[in-house]
Amino acid sequence: MPNVIAKIYRSSFGDDPQNKSWLVSDKEADIITKSLDTPYDISVLKKYEYNTKCNKHEDCEAEGCSGYVVETGYASSKRSGNAPIEINTYVYNGKKDLSKKVYENKISNNYDTDFKARILWTNTPIKFSVIRYMWNLNDRGESITYQSVPGKYEREFVQQCSADIDWNVTSSMKQDYEKAKNAARDGKKDKAFYDKAVFATDKNLQRNYEYPIKSGYYFNPTGTYTFEVTTVTYKNSKGETEEHKKLVDELINSFRYESNLIYINSSNQPVNIANGPYTDLGVLTVKDDGLIDIHKEYKNNEYRIPYYSDKPYDDENENKSHDFWKMSMEGYSLSGSLDSYNKYKYREYVAGGEVYEITETTKVTIKVNENNKMFYTHPKMPDGEYYVRVKLSPINLSKIANVEYRSINDSLKEVILDGIKVTVKGSIYDDIS
């Protein structure tokens, strides 16, 4: 019988992943059986030759006869019919949905025990295409060659993002006023000692109050404060992120210098520290030009999340693609889908594109009244206890536009960074009279 060699294409069974045409089915895996008709028509023609002993004479050979009669001819045979072949094709094109890891989406350590806060959220899903490797088999079912074909389902890269905020009082009011306070305690008269404020030198006031002043003398705002913000985000492009930039801006704008001391303006009218009505609390912000100065230092580190899709890997750990990719694709233990590989030899690889882990750090220094502008209190400010403080106003994350952490329905809470209580006892007029 002749040998018949045939090649069967997968597309004949309604599944053609190579050309992005996948079997439509509600089942996770399918077995498609087809019987292929193989009609045959065989015709055999064979030449034959017979040698028959002559036996005409007793001594044929002596008479010149060979002793044999040679007879030639052809024999033919025909056969036709049908030999059906049954072929099973196993189809598995992956899961539409993979189990998703639950990430945190909240404010953690919201200035609870210190001047630190942490924000946790997830990045906007980065969609990417995948490939799989399929093997060509020989007639014994052995793998001989492989080729990459497109995966049926698009996958999403999602990871935990974070922002760490750390405020520090670099130079407190207490530190800045220390020189003048000690000079007053020691009864020194030289104005050079009183660089930022004039404290009362009266011994009884020094004994009973921490920061005693008399109205009419200058009491300059002061203090230096820093915060550092480090964000870790995941993007498909490089550069400064809106999440980082806007958070830094919000933190700067949340800074408040507050005082209920009464000052005097150039028209000899009573005002608050912000030159507003003295009956209102005086508040200085970064918008008060020249009174609160901002210095920034920005650093950016962009790390490409690596992947390797050059060949099929039987051992998932042999493939050195970053775990973050493996968490996003089918056929890996990290995505909870290793069974797809164990049962169907199905494993996905990144088809292309880039994802970057972007770590940004900004250090901001905020200096109150860096040039030590003179602020004179009103000479008729009533005696009493007043306060000066630096605080951070609340930041509602859900109100910040076009950032990923906007989904957090919470606020960085108000916190007081620094402050002192000032006691007014007497007036400059007492020292003049």
Side-chain angles (χ1 to χ4, degrees):
M1 291 289 290
N3 290 326
V4 178
I5 299 174
K7 184 179 288 187
I8 309 300
Y9 291 96
R10 189 181 187 87
S11 56
S12 302
F13 294 82
D15 186 58
D16 189 11
Q18 187 172 4
N19 293 304
K20 297 184 178 182
S21 177
W22 297 275
L23 179 70
V24 177
S25 174
D26 295 328
K27 299 178 182 178
E28 182 180 87
D30 293 271
I31 301 176
I32 304 173
T33 301
K34 277 196 172 186
S35 294
L36 304 182
D37 289 332
T38 53
Y40 63 88
D41 189 358
I42 302 173
S43 177
V44 178
L45 182 64
K46 189 171 184 180
K47 182 180 180 180
Y48 64 86
E49 180 179 294
Y50 293 106
N51 291 329
T52 307
K53 194 170 180 63
C54 178
N55 292 326
K56 288 183 178 181
H57 305 54
E58 290 184 3
D59 195 7
C60 288
E61 294 180 4
E63 297 180 10
C65 179
S66 64
Y68 293 90
V69 177
V70 179
E71 181 181 350
T72 61
Y74 292 89
S76 63
S77 177
K78 291 185 178 181
R79 188 193 306 178
S80 61
N82 188 28
I85 300 175
E86 190 174 83
I87 296 178
N88 292 328
T89 299
Y90 298 85
V91 178
Y92 180 76
N93 287 316
K95 300 176 182 178
K96 182 178 180 181
D97 299 304
L98 301 178
S99 59
K100 296 182 178 180
K101 182 178 178 179
V102 178
Y103 294 98
E104 294 185 288
N105 201 56
K106 66 179 183 178
I107 299 176
S108 173
N109 185 30
N110 194 353
Y111 303 130
D112 295 328
T113 57
D114 48 25
F115 298 145
K116 294 180 173 63
R118 190 162 210 238
I119 305 171
L120 299 169
W121 72 94
T122 54
N123 64 284
T124 301
I126 300 171
K127 296 183 181 298
F128 64 97
S129 298
V130 298
I131 61 171
R132 60 188 285 200
Y133 283 97
M134 300 185 72
W135 289 84
N136 296 309
L137 308 180
N138 62 18
D139 57 353
R140 295 182 297 278
E142 299 168 337
S143 302
I144 50 175
T145 59
Y146 60 80
Q147 65 186 95
S148 66
V149 299
K152 183 176 182 180
Y153 300 107
E154 201 172 43
R155 300 305 183 192
E156 294 182 344
F157 184 102
V158 178
Q159 276 300 317
Q160 183 77 69
C161 302
S162 63
D164 288 290
I165 305 165
D166 186 4
W167 281 90
N168 284 284
V169 179
T170 307
S171 184
S172 67
M173 298 179 198
K174 180 179 180 180
Q175 290 171 304
D176 287 356
Y177 291 129
E178 190 72 17
K179 178 181 176 180
K181 182 183 174 185
N182 291 339
R185 182 195 61 201
D186 297 338
K188 294 179 179 179
K189 302 296 183 182
D190 190 344
K191 187 179 179 180
F193 291 107
Y194 302 94
D195 55 341
K196 297 183 183 298
V198 178
F199 292 101
T201 57
D202 307 57
K203 295 299 182 183
N204 62 322
L205 295 179
Q206 286 285 332
R207 282 193 299 269
N208 295 318
Y209 305 105
E210 189 171 9
Y211 295 99
I213 67 170
K214 293 183 178 182
S215 62
Y217 288 100
Y218 56 87
F219 190 89
N220 302 342
T222 190
T224 303
Y225 310 90
T226 60
F227 71 85
E228 188 170 279
V229 176
T230 299
T231 58
V232 179
T233 55
Y234 297 90
K235 305 286 183 180
N236 56 6
S237 60
K238 298 179 181 181
E240 185 178 14
T241 66
E242 286 293 291
E243 284 72 23
H244 185 85
K245 181 179 181 298
K246 289 190 175 182
L247 182 58
V248 170
D249 290 342
E250 289 287 335
L251 288 166
I252 291 173
N253 292 330
S254 76
F255 184 87
R256 300 285 186 273
Y257 177 95
E258 297 182 346
S259 173
N260 61 352
L261 288 168
I262 301 174
Y263 288 87
I264 189 170
N265 65 12
S266 57
S267 301
N268 294 323
Q269 297 298 312
V271 293
N272 62 29
I273 188 65
N275 203 32
Y278 73 93
T279 53
D280 295 342
L281 176 65
V283 180
L284 296 178
T285 69
V286 294
K287 297 177 182 178
D288 296 293
D289 187 38
L291 297 180
I292 296 184
D293 293 283
I294 305 296
H295 304 272
K296 295 182 185 179
E297 298 175 22
Y298 173 78
K299 293 187 296 183
N300 180 314
N301 181 51
E302 297 157 336
Y303 168 66
R304 175 187 172 275
I305 309 295
Y307 61 82
Y308 300 91
S309 305
D310 53 318
K311 64 177 182 178
Y313 290 85
D314 184 57
D315 182 353
E316 63 175 334
N317 296 316
E318 183 187 350
N319 185 331
K320 299 306 179 183
S321 295
H322 197 285
D323 285 352
F324 290 172
W325 289 113
K326 296 178 182 179
M327 294 166 69
S328 309
M329 296 185 293
E330 188 175 352
Y332 299 90
S333 54
L334 287 171
S335 64
S337 59
L338 185 60
D339 62 312
S340 298
Y341 188 76
N342 293 335
K343 290 164 63 176
Y344 309 118
K345 295 300 180 183
Y346 182 92
R347 177 166 288 158
E348 295 174 344
Y349 303 86
V350 183
E354 307 292 348
V355 172
Y356 298 93
E357 180 184 81
I358 302 176
T359 303
E360 299 167 270
T361 300
T362 296
K363 183 177 181 180
V364 177
T365 300
I366 303 175
K367 293 188 176 183
V368 178
N369 194 21
E370 184 175 14
N371 297 322
N372 198 30
K373 180 181 177 180
M374 306 301 283
F375 283 78
Y376 285 88
T377 60
H378 198 281
K380 293 185 179 180
M381 178 169 50
D383 287 359
E385 188 174 83
Y386 296 79
Y387 72 86
V388 183
R389 70 185 182 192
V390 166
K391 75 172 188 180
L392 308 175
S393 60
I395 299 174
N396 189 337
L397 299 180
S398 66
K399 300 296 184 182
I400 306 175
N402 302 317
V403 292
E404 293 171 340
Y405 45 72
R406 190 180 185 185
S407 60
I408 302 175
N409 188 25
D410 200 357
S411 299
L412 289 169
K413 66 185 180 183
E414 179 178 289
V415 61
I416 296 175
L417 289 179
D418 193 15
I420 60 173
K421 290 181 179 179
V422 178
T423 304
V424 176
K425 286 292 183 180
S427 168
I428 190 174
Y429 297 138
D430 301 334
D431 295 337
I432 295 175
S433 60

